Amino acid sequence: MQWLVPGLLRGKVIEIIRNLPKPVRRVLTPAPQFADAAIGRLSDRAGPFFGSLAGSLRELTGMDISAEMLAAASIPEYLKLRIVLVSEEGTVMAVSRDPEDLQANHGQKAQRRFMDREGEDWNRDGEVTWVFGDMLVSVRTSTGNTAWPALVDQQDSIGLRLFDTAQDAGLAHLGGGVRRLLGIAMKDKLQFLQKHHGIKQQALMVWSVFGSPAGLVKDLAWASLFELADPSASVVRDEQSFRNLLESSRSQIGRDFQVRAGQLEDLLNKIGQVMNILQADFCQTHAETHEDLSGQLEDLVYEGFLLELEPGRLQHYPRYLEAMRLRLERMEQDPARDARLMSLLGDFWQRYLDHIASGAEYDENLDAYRWLLEEYRVSLFAQKLGTAQKTSDKRLEDAWRKVSDGG
């Protein structure tokens, strides 16, 4: 998919090299000469382009150059393959130089057409109570196809749709429909928790630079509900199972919410401490450290982050922020030590940033690598705050290999 006609291939490789991260780009200078040498080592279009080119450059330099690193490099549009999507009738449906964009847009359209066509006798909308009887895991449609029914989130209500894969149905059912129905049934309880959250105003004021404090508290209430419903929601396919989940969630959410509110207040206070240091003249005197810590903070906390965290992750956040504060405190005493430790972290962190910037899917493997990377930061800059299982370079390399290999 990424191979071009021979006449454009050299120009593409040169642009890729010129847009690699600085440490790698510096080694591959001058770019035209390395491009010629790399192309000379490529076999006749055998295998994926970026994988073949990465292997060629590794042979030339001995550096750890991955296919993902090359794919993330920015190149002019004319050096990307032009893809024409044609329907069965021969009609041109779309033209793009981005295969992932085509797959995302038209794959979703194909799924919606399946859901609309096959689910004509099944679809429901605007429901606010369980009116679905006993939901089967899979059904046979009137056209003879197998489909998987699931509840779907419609913001103020829920609906029923058929999906063409069990995986997509499971994600919709657990990640949206059942949770939304729980929220509708517990609306008064959630509003009460938001009103009586107990987080001090001074801590909430820290959040005002990121977003609405009221929105943060609302997210905290919903995140508490989401965690209670996971993974129980996946097996809720009849009214009695839903009532059981509702009863257990209602009895637990008050206590769980208050625990998370305490964790959040601690986190906000530590964010305030770090930001106070970073917002002084720190940027002028320690530019690289300021950039590194600012990037770390932006990746940890942002509007809506509470709804994206895996169960149990929030409790570690105060430790991550405390490690940042300790790092800043010690850096003033020994800047050389901080620079040395930051260099150990640099390549691992840059891989993650480049992977995100490439538009790659944020999957379980990348999530595992991301949080292992945070533990690595703690082990480098604040060992006493580290977990029992020491984070090592090897563990990070093994985790990154799963990201690179797709599992």
Side-chain angles (χ1 to χ4, degrees), residues 146-360:
T146 300
W148 288 262
L151 301 185
V152 295
D153 186 357
Q154 296 180 329
Q155 296 304 310
D156 296 324
S157 61
I158 63 167
L160 176 66
R161 290 292 185 274
L162 297 186
F163 288 80
D164 55 355
T165 70
Q167 181 181 15
D168 288 340
L171 289 173
H173 193 72
L174 169 61
V178 173
R179 287 171 170 175
R180 178 62 65 183
L181 191 57
L182 273 177
I184 293 171
M186 295 173 58
K187 181 179 179 180
D188 292 344
K189 182 72 170 180
L190 292 175
Q191 290 178 341
F192 176 84
L193 293 174
Q194 293 171 49
K195 187 176 180 180
H196 300 87
H197 53 77
I199 302 174
K200 292 183 176 61
Q201 191 64 28
Q202 182 180 357
L204 285 176
M205 286 299 294
V206 174
W207 188 255
S208 60
V209 301
F210 298 94
S212 162
L216 178 69
V217 173
K218 181 179 180 180
D219 286 352
L220 184 67
W222 277 94
S224 301
L225 180 64
F226 286 178
E227 190 161 330
L228 288 173
D230 183 18
S232 304
S234 60
V235 297
V236 173
R237 306 195 72 86
D238 60 76
E239 185 173 9
Q240 186 57 53
S241 296
F242 175 74
R243 289 186 179 278
N244 292 342
L245 178 60
L246 175 60
E247 183 179 346
S248 63
S249 299
R250 192 184 295 277
S251 65
Q252 295 180 58
I253 192 169
R255 180 180 63 254
D256 287 9
F257 176 84
Q258 292 304 325
V259 170
R260 290 184 180 83
Q263 294 169 349
L264 182 59
E265 181 173 345
D266 189 12
L267 166 63
L268 291 172
N269 288 329
K270 286 180 167 53
I271 291 175
Q273 293 171 0
V274 171
M275 288 178 61
N276 285 338
I277 300 175
L278 292 178
Q279 287 174 353
D281 58 358
F282 188 88
C283 179
Q284 297 177 357
T285 56
H286 306 288
E288 289 190 14
T289 302
H290 182 277
E291 182 180 357
D292 183 53
L293 284 167
S294 296
Q296 180 188 5
L297 188 61
E298 289 172 5
D299 198 73
L300 280 172
V301 290
Y302 48 88
E303 200 163 15
F305 83 101
L306 289 174
L307 299 178
E308 297 181 1
L309 295 180
E310 63 183 4
R313 179 59 57 187
L314 182 63
Q315 70 187 49
H316 296 285
Y317 262 57
R319 187 166 53 87
Y320 301 152
L321 270 293
E322 177 64 11
M324 294 174 71
R325 189 193 65 78
L326 288 173
R327 175 185 175 182
L328 286 166
E329 183 180 283
R330 293 167 180 171
M331 201 210 69
E332 294 295 336
Q333 304 167 4
D334 191 352
R337 173 182 178 273
D338 186 84
R340 177 175 57 82
L341 295 179
M342 188 165 60
S343 69
L344 296 176
L345 173 72
D347 287 344
F348 293 117
W349 178 240
Q350 194 60 48
R351 286 179 188 176
Y352 169 75
L353 295 178
D354 290 343
H355 198 73
I356 293 293
S358 73

Side-chain angles (χ1 to χ4, degrees), residues 9 36 41 57 87 112 294-295:
L9 187 60
D36 291 338
R41 289 172 173 265
L57 291 173
S87 68
R112 284 196 296 270
S294 296

Side-chain angles (χ1 to χ4, degrees), residues 3 9 37-49 51-53 55-56 59:
W3 292 92
L9 187 60
I39 292 172
R41 289 172 173 265
L42 295 177
S43 56
D44 295 334
R45 295 176 178 256
F49 168 72
S52 299
L53 180 59
S56 181
E59 292 176 6

